[in-house]
Amino acid sequence: MLELQPRSRDSRLWACGSPLLALAVTLLVGVALFAALGKDPVRGLQMFFWEPVKTPYALGELMVKATPLLLIALGLALCFRSNVWNIGAEGQFVVGAVAAGGVALLADKSTGPWIVPALLLAGALGGMAWAGLTALLRDRFHANEILVSLMLVYVAVQLLGYLVHGPWKDPMGYNFPQTRTFAQATQIPRLVPGSRMTVGLLLALAGAGALWVFLFRTRAGFAQQVGGLAPAAARYAGFSPRRALWTALLVSGATAGLAGALEVAGPIGQLTPHVPSGYGFAAIIVAFVGRLHPLGMILSAILMSMFYIGGELAQSRLGLPKSLTNVFLGLLLFTLLACDTLIAYRVRRVATRRRGGTT
């Protein structure tokens, strides 16, 4: 029989190989799922892994999806490395979008290009303020940040709903719950003509580089991680666990809010009830599949984007439900958790005992 035996130390090989094994298992389960639904598995996998990259325009759309996922995941990685469990990035994403939308609605035909940095800053500050509520309740009242940040997601969604159904509703929008379309001056500059890919991608990549430097090349980054993982040791070394808490949540909120601002001032162009897209929750998977490392999260954000685009293509071309995307995301997360067992344990075949003797 097979038995799990503890390793003397965690396996660095499996720390890198576990996500690859999880992806392979997810693909096998996906093949079986396509077959069970009466669809060609090869055609199904093509929707997820070939169609999103086969043309320059498709690659641009892939980057459009990957940008908010990467930005949010970078902030979440800082939280998780600091032992701060921010599960409410979706709410911070929504509030950042609302704050940026409020600035964008002030623009008209005479507004200059200064409005773009202003709305991006407003988005980051909005997400930061929303995450600051969680930090305040955790710091002053020892509230559980998982529950607080998660519940604030629904408050943020209700706030958005109130605004687009009420004071910010477009009077010329045929009674649809949406704001008016933002002025042209508020549009995020695009990187390539004919593509929806914006400079947000460069901001996300710059953020990944900045996070790598902060975590692995600065004393402040080391103090940040120690302050979260071992508060007693941090206090002994002169580090502040409170600072680690506030830094993690405020930075995470800022990146999520910035992602929301880039989304509404980029591909969407207005506020609607559909701004909450699940990016804040999917970014949790991005962070862990990427091993909380900036380079790994870049790759996992691209993978998650393939799942999003593949799910949309499978819905339109194969007649499959849109929820298939969430099925693949959930499969990847659960298989990753299972495969991570191999980091601390090894599988060994052991002899079975029989009555009256051994084998």
Side-chain angles (χ1 to χ4, degrees):
M1 62 178 295
L2 299 178
E3 181 180 84
L4 289 175
Q5 296 180 352
R7 299 179 185 271
S8 58
R9 65 175 65 181
D10 288 350
S11 171
R12 297 184 63 182
L13 174 63
W14 278 111
C16 298
S18 176
L20 299 178
L21 179 60
L23 177 60
V25 174
T26 300
L27 292 181
L28 291 176
V29 176
V31 167
L33 183 60
F34 284 125
L37 293 172
K39 306 296 181 180
D40 181 6
V42 175
R43 179 66 174 159
L45 293 179
Q46 183 182 4
M47 294 295 103
F48 282 86
F49 296 101
W50 172 241
E51 294 293 334
V53 299
K54 75 174 187 178
T55 65
Y57 180 80
L59 282 172
E61 290 299 296
L62 189 68
M63 295 301 105
V64 168
K65 293 286 187 182
T67 296
L69 289 172
L70 177 57
L71 271 172
I72 301 171
L74 292 173
L76 290 179
L78 181 62
C79 278
F80 298 154
R81 281 183 173 271
S82 307
N83 200 30
V84 178
W85 296 93
N86 177 16
I87 309 298
E90 181 76 359
Q92 295 143 28
F93 174 88
V94 171
V95 172
V98 167
V103 173
L105 289 173
L106 299 176
D108 54 29
K109 293 182 179 179
S110 63
T111 302
W114 60 266
I115 194 71
V116 173
L119 67 86
L120 293 180
L121 178 61
L125 291 176
M128 187 182 295
W130 207 247
L133 294 176
T134 301
L136 177 65
L137 293 173
R138 160 74 186 272
D139 184 27
R140 297 297 299 272
F141 304 103
H142 305 288
N144 187 297
E145 74 272 16
I146 297 176
L147 296 177
V148 173
S149 61
L150 184 59
M151 293 300 101
L152 284 175
V153 173
Y154 302 99
V155 178
V157 172
Q158 293 302 315
L159 173 63
L160 172 66
Y162 164 73
L163 292 172
V164 298
H165 283 88
W168 288 2
K169 185 176 181 180
D170 183 6
M172 305 298 292
Y174 302 98
N175 206 36
F176 285 102
Q178 61 189 27
T179 65
R180 62 179 173 83
T181 303
F182 299 153
Q184 183 65 31
T186 66
Q187 293 296 305
I188 305 298
R190 299 187 178 183
L191 290 178
V192 180
S195 172
R196 297 197 304 161
M197 186 170 52
T198 69
V199 296
L201 176 62
L202 300 182
L203 293 177
L205 294 175
L211 180 64
W212 183 85
V213 172
F214 176 74
L215 288 176
F216 306 120
R217 290 295 182 270
T218 67
R219 180 180 182 275
F222 176 74
Q224 177 70 29
Q225 298 177 78
V226 173
L229 295 173
R235 283 191 291 268
Y236 181 79
F239 303 151
S240 173
R242 291 186 63 196
R243 181 180 298 173
L245 168 70
W246 280 93
T247 300
L249 281 169
L250 292 181
V251 170
S252 180
T255 58
L258 178 60
L262 289 167
E263 193 71 6
V264 296
I268 300 178
Q270 61 183 162
L271 288 175
T272 75
H274 303 293
V275 168
S277 54
Y279 286 154
F281 297 117
I284 298 174
I285 304 177
V286 172
F288 280 106
V289 172
R291 283 290 177 261
L292 306 183
H293 190 283
L295 176 59
M297 287 185 289
I298 292 174
L299 300 177
S300 61
I302 294 173
L303 176 63
M304 293 299 108
S305 303
M306 287 182 171
F307 284 165
Y308 270 102
I309 295 176
E312 295 169 359
L313 294 175
Q315 180 187 22
S316 61
R317 299 185 185 181
L318 300 180
L320 293 173
K322 188 178 180 180
S323 56
L324 189 65
T325 298
N326 293 329
V327 171
F328 272 95
L329 293 177
L331 278 173
L332 182 61
L333 177 60
F334 281 109
T335 53
L336 177 66
L337 293 174
C339 293
D340 276 355
T341 305
L342 298 174
I343 298 176
Y345 294 87
R346 57 167 55 91
V347 179
R348 286 288 183 265
R349 186 179 182 87
V350 297
T352 58
R353 294 182 176 275
R354 294 179 180 177
R355 291 182 180 178
T358 62
T359 61

